[in-house]
Amino acid sequence: MSALKISNNHMFIIPVAFNQPRRPSILSVKTDNAGTSGSTQFKFPTVAGGSYDFYYKTSEGVSARITTYNDAATTVTFAGGAGTYDIEIHGKFDGFSFFNAGDKLKLKEIKMWGSEFRLGSSQSSHFRGCNQMTISAPDILDISQETYLNSTFQDCTLLTAIPRIDEWDFSKILNASSMLRGSKFNQPIVDWNLTSCTVMSSFLDGNTVFNNSISMITPLVLDFSFAFRGMILFNSSLNIDTGSATTLLRMLDSCPVFNQTLDHLHVENVQFFNGLFWNAWAYNQPMPSWITSNLTNLTNFAQRAYAFDQDISHFNVAGLTAASNMMLSSAFSKTNYDKVLNSWSGWPSQSVQTGVNAHFGTAHYTTDPLLIGNPAAGRAILTGTYSWTITDGGTP
């Protein structure tokens, strides 16, 4: 607190917060880019349910106050004609979403987030489709009360960096699916604290330039499907908490150069591994620590993972119901296939589901009846006792 002396007998106490400098939000817009407003205008993406009490002023002197989402003044008209202008926003702006529409292409740059700007706790797709936008803001966006970041920067194709994003408070975010999907974001993700998040599907899906380390605290995330699909340059460390995850469906599909260890991942609750390494051409890392207690689907697991040749005989496949194309066009070898078929220690030694369709690529198997755990006998158990349909390379 600070005190202002009024007289010898009275003091007026000024709250500390009152003394804190308030930063405006600063946007740069180009009015003649395509949008729903005219070529000399820009419309703020306010939303029903948002909370507003702000005034704006432009670099040419236009000013107005806005207190409702549908105020006519949310469409700014620039007397100077079509061009690029800065807009300062002073006051409460809570609720912001283009939702891949409106004047999304007119937003050129975020120069300052401001101290009273909020995305809105019930919105998503905030900057989705803003493919002319960059961010240079030196301050931190306050998301401490937000719950949704799904599709926030989706398809922002000029967005390569977000200054100080590692300092954002992600702790209340419930959904971060598609947050950076289709963007060009390419900076390290360092210890993002997503302790409330349950969904991260398609998180960086389709980002064709990203190649930095990823470290996120994600203890409650259930869904990582497609999270890193199509990241064609990605080959850096991936540290995520998958202990609660139930699906890794196509998580690294079409990541052709990725070849980093994933043995540290906890996958005991994962049911869906289908397509996990589909088109991951270079991937070939051991995973001896994986405990697959709830595994049900291995369809396309390592299809077109041309280098993949790892021991998966320790996988718990008691609940496996689908494995078609599992190793199609992979490098799965006779050595590792023999381990899978080992009738004493491999998959035939488990009590498995009936009628499974399993593809082991072109891998051959051994037919030595004197060999302990004879793989040919193990294969016969799967195809006979359990009625599996198996595709492989046969005997050498």
Side-chain angles (χ1 to χ4, degrees):
M1 296 286 186
S2 60
L4 176 64
K5 188 173 182 180
I6 303 299
S7 69
N8 290 334
N9 300 317
H10 299 87
M11 303 290 286
F12 180 71
I13 304 299
I14 302 174
V16 171
F18 185 82
N19 289 325
Q20 300 303 310
R22 296 184 177 182
R23 302 183 310 278
S25 303
I26 304 177
L27 312 178
S28 178
V29 301
K30 190 173 188 300
T31 65
D32 51 345
N33 282 356
T36 54
S37 66
S39 63
T40 62
Q41 297 177 315
F42 173 76
K43 188 178 190 312
F44 290 112
T46 51
V47 295
S51 181
Y52 309 97
D53 188 2
F54 69 92
Y55 75 91
Y56 65 81
K57 61 180 181 179
T58 73
S59 50
E60 69 166 13
V62 177
S63 181
R65 183 183 178 187
I66 293 173
T67 57
T68 61
Y69 83 97
N70 56 355
D71 193 309
T74 58
T75 298
V76 185
T77 300
F78 297 87
T84 301
Y85 300 91
D86 282 357
I87 304 175
E88 286 188 10
I89 301 170
H90 297 260
K92 184 179 184 180
F93 195 122
D94 190 341
F96 184 102
S97 179
F98 283 103
F99 212 86
N100 201 31
D103 281 352
K104 63 179 184 177
L105 301 182
K106 296 190 179 189
L107 182 59
K108 291 287 292 179
E109 185 180 357
I110 299 172
K111 296 183 175 181
M112 184 83 74
W113 290 112
S115 54
E116 296 180 83
F117 176 83
R118 305 291 184 270
L119 297 177
S121 60
S122 61
Q123 279 75 51
S124 63
S125 301
H126 307 97
F127 299 97
R128 183 179 177 183
C130 292
N131 63 27
Q132 301 299 305
M133 180 191 72
T134 60
I135 298 175
S136 60
D139 57 338
I140 299 170
L141 174 63
D142 185 351
I143 60 167
S144 60
Q145 302 304 312
E146 317 292 15
T147 51
Y148 298 104
L149 287 180
N150 42 311
S151 298
T152 291
F153 298 109
Q154 182 175 345
D155 298 327
C156 293
T157 54
L158 290 184
L159 185 63
T160 60
I162 303 175
R164 301 182 69 183
I165 192 172
D166 291 335
E167 299 176 62
W168 291 12
D169 182 354
F170 292 96
S171 61
K172 292 187 178 179
I173 299 300
L174 302 176
N175 189 331
S177 61
S178 299
M179 176 183 168
L180 293 159
R181 182 179 185 178
S183 72
K184 294 297 188 290
F185 180 80
N186 188 26
Q187 64 189 77
I189 293 176
V190 181
D191 295 334
W192 288 14
N193 186 17
L194 289 149
T195 48
S196 298
C197 189
T198 59
V199 184
M200 295 202 71
S201 56
S202 299
F203 176 67
L204 275 161
D205 185 5
N207 183 313
T208 57
V209 301
F210 190 92
N211 187 25
N212 274 292
S213 60
I214 298 175
S215 175
M216 295 187 289
I217 303 168
T218 55
L220 299 181
V221 171
L222 304 175
D223 185 357
F224 283 101
S225 57
F226 307 100
F228 311 107
R229 179 180 61 171
M231 295 171 60
I232 60 175
L233 298 183
F234 181 49
N235 189 28
S236 296
S237 61
L238 178 59
N239 291 297
I240 53 178
D241 185 346
T242 56
S244 294
T246 58
T247 179
L248 303 182
L249 168 67
R250 298 176 68 176
M251 185 175 79
L252 289 158
D253 175 7
S254 299
C255 293
V257 299
F258 182 77
N259 192 29
Q260 301 291 318
T261 183
L262 296 176
D263 191 47
H264 56 283
L265 298 185
H266 294 279
V267 297
E268 55 269 23
N269 289 308
V270 175
Q271 300 173 44
F272 304 103
F273 292 83
N274 36 319
L276 176 58
F277 302 116
W278 196 356
N279 290 308
W281 301 346
Y283 186 77
N284 189 31
Q285 293 288 328
M287 48 197 78
S289 298
W290 278 19
I291 299 171
T292 61
S293 309
N294 286 283
L295 183 156
T296 62
N297 198 317
L298 284 172
T299 302
N300 310 114
F301 176 69
Q303 182 176 351
R304 289 167 56 88
Y306 299 121
F308 187 86
D309 182 26
Q310 294 296 327
D311 181 9
I312 58 171
S313 63
H314 61 290
F315 280 14
N316 183 334
V317 293
L320 180 66
T321 59
S324 59
N325 295 331
M326 178 177 62
M327 294 293 175
L328 178 63
S329 300
S330 72
F332 201 55
S333 66
K334 178 176 177 289
T335 298
N336 282 317
Y337 189 30
D338 277 352
K339 292 177 182 178
V340 166
L341 294 180
N342 189 292
S343 59
W344 281 23
S345 59
W347 292 7
S349 68
Q350 302 179 37
S351 178
V352 298
Q353 304 295 309
T354 60
V356 177
N357 187 341
H359 201 305
F360 294 95
T362 58
H364 299 297
Y365 60 90
T366 298
T367 60
D368 184 353
L370 300 179
L371 184 67
I372 294 176
N374 178 17
R379 187 181 188 279
I381 292 172
L382 294 177
T383 58
T385 304
Y386 294 105
S387 301
W388 281 32
T389 299
I390 291 178
T391 303
D392 55 28
T395 57

